[in-house]
């Protein structure tokens, strides 16, 4: 089966996805009978390419990695350059649009309009972009239903660690009563390094150097990144559309070396915990530092790693631990969504 893709956004995640396609395309053909063909790439900074016959992804990656733009991609008879993201979405002939532009937690743009345009044009959407999913999932799902398409967004929470699909597919028939976890790698990294004796600012600099932190690290440190992931989980797990103001949000900025040392002396650890709990008065959503005992499975989750515990009525507590970010990890989340889209699965 030939499945045509258009990539909107060719930064770290878009390139990570393209690299996986280059490496895995033969295996995907053999194992699943799927031939993913990228017919267009559009990036606001790097430029755009479209070819209905399919682009050579190795050459597109080489152009970007050597020159920083798509300008070095060789001319071919069917090649179109210069379309903007909306022309690319509407005119490239793609079956599915991969939305991988930057996350904007203020209003979700331009990702939100990209997703809307794609669904309205009868394309599926696969995205790892938290902005449009956190702020517009209910509307986007409705649009998808109206146009007979789908929107998949596994990578928007914990990148390639399959938390959304675990709940939707493997916990079908159970009732999730509560979910709590470590959803921000940067703040977990900072807390871990502070336990090891580093100061807050130095630990933050390291997190930035390793690429864990958002462009504006305030989103990580003050809990907004985890808050956004809770908005997505509330929709995905409970079908509840929470607003940012519905989530009590407190970050880790006020935690000092003394606090961390005191917790350690008590055999406990500080973790920035994001949680959603079903109560008789609705979903209670909260992001805040907690001092948790060593017996909690989340206590041992160190560094930039994420984890989520599902409290299930039938299956009990289930904790999944894994990467929450990364070029290849998030690229993989896009791939697994594309595969499941083609297979007609969740
Ligand atoms: N800045 C985020 C984190 C990246 O630290 O977890 C993934 O959303």
């Amino acid at each position: 089966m030939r499945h045509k893709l258009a990539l909107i956004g060719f930064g770290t995640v878009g390139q990570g996805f393209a690299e996986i396609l280059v490496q895995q395309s033969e295996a995907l053909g053999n194992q699943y009978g799927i031939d993913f063909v990228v017919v267009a790439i559009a990036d606001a900074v790097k430029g755009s390419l479209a070819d209905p016959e399919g682009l050579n992804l190795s050459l597109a990656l080489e152009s970007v990695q050597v020159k920083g733009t798509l300008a070095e991609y060789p001319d071919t008879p069917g090649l179109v350059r210069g379309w903007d993201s909306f022309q690319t979405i509407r005119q490239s002939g793609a079956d599915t649009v991969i939305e991988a532009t930057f996350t904007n937690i203020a209003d979700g743009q331009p990702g939100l309009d990209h997703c809307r345009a794609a669904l309205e044009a009868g394309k599926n959407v696969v995205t790892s972009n938290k902005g449009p999913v956190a702020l517009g999932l209910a509307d986007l799902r409705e649009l998808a239903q109206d146009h007979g398409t789908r929107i998949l967004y596994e990578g928007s929470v914990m990148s390639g660690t399959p938390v959304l699909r675990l709940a939707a597919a493997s916990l079908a028939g159970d009732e999730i009563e509560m979910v709590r976890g470590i959803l921000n790698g940067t703040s977990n990294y900072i807390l871990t390094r502070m336990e090891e004796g580093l100061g807050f600012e130095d630990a933050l600099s390291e997190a930035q150097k390793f690429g864990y932190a958002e462009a504006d690290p305030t989103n990580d440190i003050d809990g907004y990144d985890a808050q956004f992931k809770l908005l997505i989980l509330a929709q995905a797990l409970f079908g509840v559309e929470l607003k940012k103001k519905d989530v009590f949000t407190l970050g880790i900025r006020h935690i000092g070396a003394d606090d961390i040392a005191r917790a350690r002396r008590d055999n406990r650890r500080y973790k920035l915990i994001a949680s959603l709990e079903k109560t008789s008065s609705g979903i209670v959503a909260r992001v805040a530092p907690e001092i948790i005992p060593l017996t909690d499975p989340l206590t041992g989750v160190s560094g930039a790693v994420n984890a989520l515990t599902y409290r299930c009525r039938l299956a009990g507590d289930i904790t999944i631990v894994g990467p929450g970010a990364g070029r290849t990890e998030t690229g993989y989340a896009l791939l697994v969504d594309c595969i499941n889209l083609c297979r007609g699965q969740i």
Side-chain angles (χ1 to χ4, degrees), residues 3 8 23 32 48 53 63 67 106 118 122 139 186 194 210 215 227-228 254 256 275 278 304 338:
H3 193 91
I8 308 300
Q23 291 156 17
Y32 302 109
S48 72
E53 292 307 312
S63 174
K67 294 285 178 189
D139 290 344
T186 300
M194 285 176 76
F210 293 133
Q227 178 199 67
F228 250 50
H254 62 286
S275 61
K278 250 187 195 174
C338 288

Side-chain angles (χ1 to χ4, degrees), residues 130-204:
K130 293 183 286 273
V133 185
L135 298 177
L137 185 59
D139 290 344
L140 294 173
R141 276 178 163 168
E142 208 174 298
L143 264 185
Q145 202 167 8
D146 291 348
H147 291 84
T149 56
R150 294 181 67 193
I151 173 162
L152 298 181
Y153 48 92
E154 179 67 70
S156 63
V157 182
M158 282 179 67
S159 65
T161 308
V163 287
L164 301 179
R165 197 159 275 114
L166 172 71
S170 301
L171 295 174
D174 206 335
E175 184 192 345
I176 295 171
E177 297 168 331
M178 191 203 53
V179 57
R180 67 192 286 274
I182 295 168
L183 293 180
N184 182 259
T186 300
S187 51
N188 202 49
Y189 182 84
I190 291 172
L191 292 173
T192 303
R193 293 294 280 139
M194 285 176 76
E195 278 175 10
E196 291 164 1
L198 216 65
F200 181 92
E201 291 301 335
D202 289 339
L204 172 59

Side-chain angles (χ1 to χ4, degrees), residues 103 130 155-156 158-159 183-187 211-215 219-220 225 229 304 306 324-326 330:
T103 293
K130 293 183 286 273
S156 63
M158 282 179 67
S159 65
L183 293 180
N184 182 259
T186 300
S187 51
Y212 306 142
E214 299 290 299
N219 294 331
D220 299 294
D225 176 66
K229 290 166 183 167
N306 284 194
T330 313

Side-chain angles (χ1 to χ4, degrees), residues 244-327:
K244 292 186 235 182
K245 65 174 175 43
D246 299 325
V247 185
F248 172 84
T249 305
L250 180 67
I252 60 165
R253 210 183 273 276
H254 62 286
I255 297 173
D258 289 354
D259 301 312
I260 292 200
R262 204 172 315 115
R264 272 200 88 156
R265 278 198 300 275
D266 295 343
N267 271 335
R268 295 162 85 90
R269 277 197 183 138
Y270 267 97
K271 292 288 172 195
L272 184 66
I273 300 293
S275 61
L276 295 171
E277 190 172 4
K278 250 187 195 174
T279 70
S280 51
S281 49
I283 300 293
V284 175
R286 174 184 154 93
V287 176
E290 290 181 19
I291 308 171
I292 57 177
L294 295 183
T295 48
D296 189 316
L298 300 178
T299 313
V301 177
S302 300
V305 177
N306 284 194
L308 205 57
T309 299
Y310 287 119
R311 175 150 300 160
C312 307
R313 193 167 63 80
L314 303 174
D317 281 10
I318 294 174
T319 300
I320 177 166
V321 180
R327 181 186 186 96

